[in-house]
Amino acid sequence: MTPTITAFERSPDRGRGQARDMRVRWALEEVGQPYDVRLVSFREMKEPAHRALHPFGQIPTYEDGDLALFESGAIVFHIAERHGGLLPDDANARARAITWMFAALNTVEPPIVEREQASYVEGDKSWYEERLAVLEERIRNRLGELSRRLGDAEWLDGAFSAGDLMMVMVLRRLDGMDIVDDYPNLSAYVARGEARPAFKRAFAAQLAVFTGAGSAAPARARSPGSGPGPMDGAM
Ligand SMILES: N[C@@H](CCC(=O)N[C@@H](CS)C(=O)NCC(=O)O)C(=O)O
């Protein structure tokens, strides 16, 4: 059965690989699993039909037969468990790769998202610049720690895994901020992830939704045809 994922009908980042369906697309491409895409507007995401799949009214979701999942981490984990190639066979190495998935989502991503949110909702406050400095310091602390752990290694723990996929995607959220560039091994790590053919196919497929261009990716996008939602930056 071909799984169906949901993605923004009109992504606030103009299809540049920040919306979290990119994580799922990349995982599916890594394991060679074709997938369908159902595009949803911001309005549709908040309607009962979508909330039945995703209680928080967001993307991505994943449907495969009787199974419906939400949360990009859970979806990528499910894909990695169902297919070879994203988690090592050795039990301990597998547990460590899963640990890196959690680290990406629970330890590295939160200060990055908090910084994004601050720019959306606190940008007009008198204390905004001070708060920004605090938030960026938190991000830099995490990146410094991650950089020290990665060292000269290619990936976080042996071969490329779902842990790297998630970490690269989280670090990519800092695109355009020049922060990752201050950690040359991390920017090289992100570039290695982006150079993977599966990443490129996923990126092209996500971008094609925005540009309306065809894609060589196996994904097949279907839109219910509703208009664009607010570009509220809720990435
Ligand atoms: N923790 C969730 C976050 C999902 C999320 O924030 N999705 C964004 C797109 S990347 C979204 O749907 N934003 C629209 C909204 O929240 O209304 C995950 O990893 O899947």
Side-chain angles (χ1 to χ4, degrees):
M1 189 143 197
T2 304
T4 298
I5 68 169
T6 50
F8 281 137
E9 180 182 67
R10 182 160 285 264
S11 182
D13 77 331
R14 308 173 72 84
R16 304 303 299 179
Q18 295 294 351
R20 289 172 176 82
D21 57 293
M22 177 66 196
R23 303 167 178 188
V24 178
R25 291 175 184 269
W26 186 7
L28 288 164
E29 292 287 353
E30 286 285 350
V31 303
Q33 171 64 57
Y35 59 101
D36 286 329
V37 183
R38 188 170 62 251
L39 302 176
V40 290
S41 67
F42 275 84
R43 181 178 51 74
E44 286 163 336
M45 280 192 291
K46 309 303 174 194
E47 287 176 353
H50 187 76
R51 282 196 191 271
L53 296 171
H54 196 310
F56 307 114
Q58 297 182 313
I59 59 101
T61 60
Y62 172 100
E63 294 156 77
D64 191 7
D66 292 341
L67 178 66
L69 296 174
F70 60 96
E71 285 294 332
S72 59
I75 298 169
V76 170
F77 182 43
H78 173 74
I79 294 165
E81 288 225 297
R82 288 277 301 268
H83 304 268
L86 280 174
L87 288 173
D89 291 334
D90 173 77
N92 285 356
R94 195 177 182 89
R96 289 195 303 272
I98 294 165
T99 299
W100 278 115
M101 289 185 70
F102 278 89
L105 296 173
N106 284 355
T107 303
V108 180
E109 187 170 42
I112 296 174
V113 170
E114 207 179 336
R115 157 79 182 72
E116 289 167 9
Q117 295 297 326
S119 67
Y120 302 145
V121 299
E122 296 167 353
D124 58 345
K125 302 287 190 284
S126 58
W127 37 261
Y128 175 64
E129 292 302 328
E130 282 167 66
R131 172 146 167 80
L132 211 55
V134 170
L135 294 175
E136 290 192 3
E137 187 57 27
R138 274 191 214 152
I139 295 173
R140 284 182 189 282
N141 282 343
R142 285 292 179 246
L143 296 196
E145 290 159 340
L146 184 65
S147 168
R148 283 191 286 282
R149 170 53 79 101
L150 180 65
D152 294 331
E154 192 176 13
W155 304 114
L156 286 166
D157 193 324
F160 176 83
S161 77
D164 294 297
L165 184 154
M166 208 50 88
M167 192 65 82
V168 166
M169 287 309 306
V170 165
L171 295 177
R172 287 189 80 258
R173 294 193 77 82
L174 292 166
D175 272 7
M177 283 184 56
D178 295 340
I179 293 187
V180 178
D181 292 345
D182 291 344
Y183 306 85
N185 65 337
L186 293 186
S187 54
Y189 171 68
V190 172
R192 275 194 293 281
E194 291 174 340
R196 292 179 72 84
F199 176 95
K200 290 183 180 176
R201 288 194 298 272
F203 186 92
Q206 202 193 48
L207 182 61
V209 173
F210 194 85
T211 62
S215 162
R220 297 185 290 274
R222 292 195 312 266
S223 168
S226 51
M231 304 289 275
D232 65 2
M235 291 292 296

